[in-house]
Amino acid sequence: MAGFTTTILHNDRQSLIEHGSVHKPIHTAVTYGYSDARELAEVFQGKKSGYRYGRQGNPTVTALEDKLTKMEDGVASLCFASGMAAIGALPLALLKSGDHVVSSAFLFGNTSNLWQTAANLGVEVSFVDATNVANVEAAITKATRMVFVETIANPRTQVVDLAQIGALCQARGILFVVDNTMTSPYLFRPKAVGAGLVINSLTKAISGHGDVLGGCITDTGAYDWRNYPNIAVNFQKQAVQQWGIAQLRAKSLRDFGACLSPDAAHQIAIGAETMALRIDRQCSNTSQLTEMLAAHPKVAAVYYPGLKNHPQHGLASELFKAQGSIFSFELNADIDCFDFLNHLKIAISATHLGDNRTLIIPVAHTIFFEMGAERRAAMGIAESLIRVSVGIEDPADLLSDFKQALELS
Ligand code: PLP
């Protein structure tokens, strides 16, 4: 089997493309015509495969989905307008009022808010410290439909014991959903720990250039959908492995319209071609930067699973090819974090992650501001926490930028 990057680069050419084009073209059509109206009816009835309407599927988007399925070694993928649209599809398409979800308490803030919204609609959500699998086990009830975790939690970088939680879910017939955004399928494949569904924000490392939004759910084939009580009879007509994706496609794309545009799909596919190269450089830069900061007298704490003093350093080293390009840190209490940020010349004060450029943000004052101090504390987020997404800049430039900003602070 070809390697990660070779597979992505040559995947489009596995089926015939006109003129010998090496990229799948951007198909802009919203609707698809059939010379035999009976065939049109068969496509609508699911008896024959084919495209019907852009909201439900598009050939350029399919080409990207196919690559994402290969990246995650899955059986099928579904693309969405953003990473949050992909996560939002979980309650919309797979949960009912009265169902229960166990979620890691250490989550990207918007995902945490989304689970609060699901709770308002009658889904019970238990947030637990999932770094201890016993907490996950204790929270499971008869109504538990899924367990949701991130690989490396954004922004405090806690790593849960993915393999133990996967085994627990498998033993109980519960769907294990893993948000792989912080690691990407290049550094980690959640299928290896029994995840049934994998979420990737395509906005981040997979596209990499900070110029397009997208999200994806991949079914790894590890979950037996016959154990899932919420799959409607309509979606049980295909092979069992396709049941989940079929229901997700109908309820979140057809009925809700959270679809990815073909132009965005093309842009993401182009970005994905260099993902592995970019991530290698970002991880190396992150390692150098976190080591320098950890040894600096003006820095109080650095949170990065690649550092030996991180509580889950051993676990993360076993699970992931490298420890990613996102870390967070706290300055000494007498330093104003805004002054420090304003002294940086290369790192940009901005939200977002997985970008080619180094981005830095004071977490409690921005992306986690709305949720308030109490919920931040429960997620392990100090008021002075600063998150960094490390880019592909030349390492010496990045190190000297942080050093000079610390000197001036
Ligand atoms: N999941 C994680 C871990 C994230 O960090 C983010 C965004 O930062 C998302 C999901 C949402 O992705 P998007 O911005 O594409 O909606």
Side-chain angles (χ1 to χ4, degrees), residues 292-301 330-335 406:
M292 185 278 283
L293 290 173
H296 200 285
K298 291 193 176 174
V299 175
E330 291 164 43
L331 294 167
N332 290 345
D334 59 336
I335 302 175
L406 282 167

Side-chain angles (χ1 to χ4, degrees), residues 82-84 87 108 150 154 179 181-182 201 203-204 214 353:
S82 69
M84 284 318 302
I87 300 171
F108 170 52
E150 292 176 7
N154 175 8
D179 184 336
T181 301
M182 292 276 281
S201 163
T203 319
K204 314 295 177 188
L353 46 93

Side-chain angles (χ1 to χ4, degrees), residues 81-87 107-111 148 150-154 179-182 199-204 212-215 351-353 367 387:
S82 69
M84 284 318 302
I87 300 171
L107 290 178
F108 170 52
N110 296 163
T111 306
F148 183 95
E150 292 176 7
T151 49
I152 301 176
N154 175 8
D179 184 336
N180 200 21
T181 301
M182 292 276 281
I199 306 286
N200 279 292
S201 163
L202 306 175
T203 319
K204 314 295 177 188
V212 63
L213 285 158
T351 189
H352 184 42
L353 46 93
I367 44 175
R387 184 188 75 187

Side-chain angles (χ1 to χ4, degrees), residues 86-342:
I87 300 171
L90 299 171
L92 187 74
L94 296 178
L95 295 170
K96 290 182 177 168
S97 169
D99 285 345
H100 177 239
V101 174
V102 180
S103 170
S104 168
F106 311 127
L107 290 178
F108 170 52
N110 296 163
T111 306
S112 179
N113 290 335
L114 177 87
W115 285 129
Q116 302 282 343
T117 305
N120 293 342
L121 297 172
V123 173
E124 199 197 331
V125 185
S126 302
F127 292 102
V128 299
D129 175 351
T131 57
N132 182 352
V133 69
N135 295 333
V136 177
E137 186 161 21
I140 289 173
T141 70
K142 280 205 176 92
T144 306
R145 299 281 163 263
M146 64 177 78
V147 171
F148 183 95
V149 301
E150 292 176 7
T151 49
I152 301 176
N154 175 8
R156 251 291 261 102
T157 75
Q158 297 96 335
V159 179
V160 303
D161 195 330
L162 291 150
Q164 280 198 38
I165 299 175
L168 172 69
C169 289
Q170 210 146 19
R172 303 287 185 91
I174 295 170
L175 179 61
F176 184 29
V177 185
V178 175
D179 184 336
N180 200 21
T181 301
M182 292 276 281
T183 24
S184 91
Y186 176 59
L187 298 182
F188 179 61
R189 280 180 169 152
K191 180 182 177 177
V193 293
L197 295 180
V198 181
I199 306 286
N200 279 292
S201 163
L202 306 175
T203 319
K204 314 295 177 188
I206 292 180
S207 62
H209 296 71
D211 59 353
V212 63
L213 285 158
C216 181
I217 298 179
T218 298
D219 189 322
T220 65
Y223 182 71
D224 186 344
W225 288 100
R226 285 171 296 196
N227 292 327
Y228 203 81
N230 297 350
I231 300 292
V233 179
N234 248 348
F235 306 112
Q236 295 183 12
K237 290 176 186 153
Q238 320 173 29
V240 176
Q241 287 191 326
Q242 299 293 330
W243 289 8
I245 286 288
Q247 183 156 313
L248 279 158
R249 185 181 293 280
K251 290 186 186 265
S252 50
L253 298 190
R254 185 196 66 192
D255 301 348
F256 187 65
C259 52
L260 185 70
S261 79
D263 303 76
H266 174 74
Q267 223 165 323
I268 293 163
I270 298 298
E273 294 187 354
T274 53
M275 170 172 52
L277 285 78
R278 290 184 277 103
I279 291 179
D280 280 341
R281 170 73 162 239
Q282 287 169 335
C283 291
S284 160
N285 280 356
T286 310
S287 184
Q288 295 176 56
L289 195 53
T290 51
E291 268 167 33
M292 185 278 283
L293 290 173
H296 200 285
K298 291 193 176 174
V299 175
V302 182
Y303 306 103
Y304 179 56
L307 290 176
K308 290 202 173 62
N309 69 350
H310 187 284
Q312 291 95 33
H313 172 69
L315 182 63
S317 311
E318 275 168 36
L319 287 166
F320 313 135
K321 184 179 161 74
Q323 312 310 316
S325 58
I326 289 92
F327 73 93
S328 47
F329 70 106
E330 291 164 43
L331 294 167
N332 290 345
D334 59 336
I335 302 175
D336 183 321
C337 77
F338 291 100
D339 284 345
F340 166 74
L341 294 173
N342 289 343

